[in-house]
């Protein structure tokens, strides 16, 4: 009986690229390899696992049941490899190398850039990778080094710093109010052009439970992308929830029905194994300081 050889980690990387793109040529372009090389990687991985991973169809390469089973393990290998390279990139005593930060779309694109600019000005050898997505990345699996989260962490192996509350209010652009007026009650709000997600999320369900008058409200603009929703607000398309500290920076955004306010708890989280890493420690501290200052904008706006 012949034993199967241990697959190269490169094969799993190639496997994930083919899974994502559905073709050898597209995977080759992403990885900077030739198409024959990608094909050899897949063939070698199939030989190692003893099963076919893809079948050809008019839509491209479709994953087999075996490929679907292998996918999460390959993703774990990819995140572990990336974390290993980030750890190896830094010096024990010098702030250098790569740190990966996970944050929501809004926090990542609207709030963190000036904080990170100041951080990198102080530490020019520090490289930042920012994952701005509403998908929560797993710190225990080292998909990211540090995360800004809107929910308290449950895992014991994580270091967490509670930042405080970020408040959201209903806002409209002045150009919208000039065209359609300003609602003064929830009932009037229901008759206005509202901006919202195109699918019901846990956040939306919470809002409907807290404000049942919004049940059945018709959204005139929908998107599953937070930044698209905020750009629609700033373009005067309709009324939408917006973080109060961000709104305070734009004099054209007007608060609607100030009694309606949503509070989002905010945390900064890091794997406890990274607390001795200089690059992670200074980044964690910079995020704490920067986000505390950001929340102060919310408090100043509310006069507290």
């Amino acid at each position: 009986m012949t034993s199967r050889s241990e697959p190269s980690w490169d094969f799993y990387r190639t496997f994930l690229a083919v899974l994502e793109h559905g073709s050898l040529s597209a995977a080759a372009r992403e990885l900077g390899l030739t198409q024959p090389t990608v094909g050899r990687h897949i063939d070698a991985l199939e030989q190692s696992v003893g099963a076919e991973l893809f079948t050809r169809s008019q839509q491209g390469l479709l994953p087999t049941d075996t490929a679907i089973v292998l996918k999460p393990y390959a993703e774990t290998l990819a995140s572990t490899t990336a974390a290993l390279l980030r750890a190896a990139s830094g010096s024990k005593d010098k702030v250098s190398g790569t740190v990966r930060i996970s944050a929501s779309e809004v926090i990542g694109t609207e709030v963190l850039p000036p904080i990170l600019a100041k951080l990198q000005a102080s530490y020019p050898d520090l490289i930042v990778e920012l994952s701005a997505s509403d998908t929560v990345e797993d710190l225990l699996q080292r998909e990211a080094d540090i995360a800004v989260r809107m929910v308290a962490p449950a895992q014991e192996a994580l270091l967490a710093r509670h930042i405080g509350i970020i408040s959201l209010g209903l806002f409209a652009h002045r150009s919208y109010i000039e065209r359609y007026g300003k609602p003064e009650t929830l009932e009037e709000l229901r008759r206005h052009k509202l901006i919202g997600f195109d699918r019901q999320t846990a956040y939306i369900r919470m809002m409907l439970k807290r404000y049942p008058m919004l049940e059945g409200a018709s959204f005139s603009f929908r998107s599953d992308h937070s930044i698209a929703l905020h750009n629609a607000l700033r373009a005067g398309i309709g009324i939408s929830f917006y973080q109060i500290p961000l709104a305070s920076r734009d004099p054209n955004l007007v608060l609607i029905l100030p009694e309606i306010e949503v509070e989002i708890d905010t945390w900064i989280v890091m794997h406890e194994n990274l607390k001795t890493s200089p690059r992670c420690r200074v980044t964690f501290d910079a995020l704490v300081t920067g986000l505390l200052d950001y929340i102060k904008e919310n408090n100043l706006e509310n006069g507290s």
Side-chain angles (χ1 to χ4, degrees):
M1 179 179 178
T2 59
S3 61
R4 295 170 185 165
S5 60
E6 183 75 20
S8 165
W9 283 23
D10 285 339
F11 296 171
Y12 292 108
R13 180 167 166 259
T14 302
F15 166 68
L16 287 174
V18 176
L19 265 179
E20 179 180 357
H21 296 287
S23 76
L24 299 181
S25 57
R29 285 193 296 272
E30 178 184 307
L31 299 173
L33 302 174
T34 65
Q35 183 172 332
T37 299
V38 170
R40 286 195 296 272
H41 283 186
I42 297 301
D43 289 342
L45 186 57
E46 287 180 334
Q47 291 178 11
S48 294
V49 300
E52 188 178 27
L53 297 176
F54 296 96
T55 58
R56 294 189 179 276
S57 74
Q58 292 181 347
Q59 292 76 39
L61 294 178
L62 298 179
T64 63
D65 290 343
T66 300
I68 293 171
V69 169
L70 288 180
K71 181 183 177 182
Y73 298 101
E75 289 174 336
T76 298
L77 279 173
S79 62
T80 301
T81 303
L84 183 149
L85 293 175
R86 290 197 303 271
S89 71
S91 167
K92 182 179 179 180
D93 302 314
K94 181 182 177 183
V95 178
S96 62
T98 303
V99 59
R100 182 174 175 83
I101 302 169
S102 172
S104 69
E105 289 177 353
V106 176
I107 294 294
T109 58
E110 302 274 5
V111 181
L112 293 190
I115 298 174
L116 298 176
K118 184 177 179 181
L119 171 66
Q120 290 188 293
S122 300
Y123 302 100
D125 293 329
L126 182 67
I127 300 169
V128 173
E129 292 179 359
L130 176 60
S131 173
S133 170
D134 291 336
T135 300
V136 176
E137 294 191 318
D138 192 336
L139 295 185
L140 294 182
Q141 295 295 331
R142 299 298 303 276
E143 293 177 352
D145 299 317
I146 303 172
V148 181
R149 290 187 175 167
M150 306 311 183
V151 61
Q155 299 98 329
E156 294 182 357
L158 298 178
L159 294 176
R161 170 69 186 269
H162 184 231
I163 300 300
I165 299 296
I166 296 177
S167 297
L168 283 73
L170 282 168
F171 288 88
H173 195 273
R174 292 189 187 278
S175 62
Y176 174 88
I177 294 174
E178 290 171 1
R179 290 195 305 273
Y180 301 106
K182 181 180 178 182
E184 300 295 341
T185 66
L186 270 173
E187 187 58 40
E188 290 181 11
L189 177 67
R190 287 168 55 89
R191 297 192 291 270
H192 274 259
K193 295 181 179 297
L194 303 180
I195 297 170
F197 283 93
D198 65 355
R199 53 185 170 29
Q200 195 173 92
T201 63
Y203 164 72
I204 296 297
R205 290 191 291 271
M206 177 199 68
M207 287 299 303
L208 293 175
K209 183 177 180 181
R210 185 168 181 178
Y211 300 105
M213 285 292 292
L214 293 176
E215 185 74 53
S218 177
F219 293 114
S220 61
F221 183 94
R222 299 184 182 93
S223 176
D224 61 356
H225 198 290
S226 299
I227 304 306
L229 296 177
H230 291 171
N231 286 336
L233 169 66
R234 290 189 284 250
I237 289 178
I239 297 172
S240 177
F241 279 99
Y242 199 56
Q243 292 188 17
I244 290 177
L246 285 178
S248 68
R249 301 174 181 180
D250 188 341
N252 288 312
L253 294 181
V254 178
L255 183 63
I256 306 293
L257 300 176
E259 67 272 18
I260 298 180
E261 186 174 293
V262 179
E263 295 182 340
I264 300 178
D265 221 359
T266 309
W267 299 76
I268 299 177
V269 188
M270 178 173 69
H271 196 290
E272 64 178 0
N273 289 348
L274 298 175
K275 62 185 178 182
T276 59
S277 165
R279 74 185 192 285
C280 293
R281 187 175 62 249
V282 300
T283 302
F284 188 94
D285 292 343
L287 291 175
V288 169
T289 300
L291 286 170
L292 284 173
D293 289 342
Y294 173 69
I295 287 180
K296 286 179 184 176
E297 295 182 44
N298 182 105
N299 294 335
L300 290 172
E301 179 70 15
N302 290 327
S304 57

